[in-house]
């Protein structure tokens, strides 16, 4: 599996985190507890995402991305958003 950090852009294309966030595109192990940080930018909305690849016995593969809930990154707090984007 691979971990990504994204920034939810209202009415626009989301993008990968920067500005001091934990690196995206990092391989994580099955059942590994991961502790990652979002951007060091106030008033943005970040989200975690993992990409999983399954390899079947006949060598065919299936890939999927799983987007976590939006997180409000504010100067005085960090909390889950009341609603989350749809990943567009």
């Amino acid at each position: 599996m691979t971990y990504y950090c994204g920034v939810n852009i209202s009415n626009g294309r989301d993008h990968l985190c920067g500005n001091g966030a934990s690196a995206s595109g990092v391989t994580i192990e099955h059942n590994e507890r991961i502790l990652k940080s979002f951007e060091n930018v106030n008033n943005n909305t970040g989200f975690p995402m993992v990409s999983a690849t399954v390899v079947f016995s006949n060598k065919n593969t299936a890939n999927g991305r799983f987007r976590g809930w939006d997180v409000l990154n504010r100067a005085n707090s960090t909390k889950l958003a009341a609603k989350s984007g749809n990943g567009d």
Side-chain angles (χ1 to χ4, degrees):
M1 290 199 314
T2 306
Y3 166 82
Y4 296 91
C5 174
V7 176
N8 188 352
I9 305 299
S10 185
N11 300 314
R13 279 185 70 101
D14 297 346
H15 61 81
L16 294 179
C17 295
N19 299 307
S22 296
S24 286
V26 176
T27 300
I28 54 176
E29 297 298 321
H30 175 71
N31 289 331
E32 177 184 356
R33 181 176 180 214
I34 57 173
L35 302 170
K36 303 291 184 181
S37 59
F38 292 114
E39 291 187 331
N40 294 325
V41 176
N42 291 331
N43 298 319
N44 75 354
T45 301
F47 59 90
M49 185 169 51
V50 294
S51 174
T53 302
V54 177
V55 180
F56 295 96
S57 61
N58 63 2
K59 307 289 190 238
N60 286 332
T61 61
N63 299 304
R65 283 193 174 181
F66 304 91
R67 185 184 193 278
W69 202 261
D70 284 350
V71 176
L72 304 174
N73 188 17
R74 305 298 183 252
N76 296 321
S77 67
T78 301
K79 60 184 178 180
L80 291 177
K83 61 181 186 172
S84 196
N86 60 12
D88 289 341

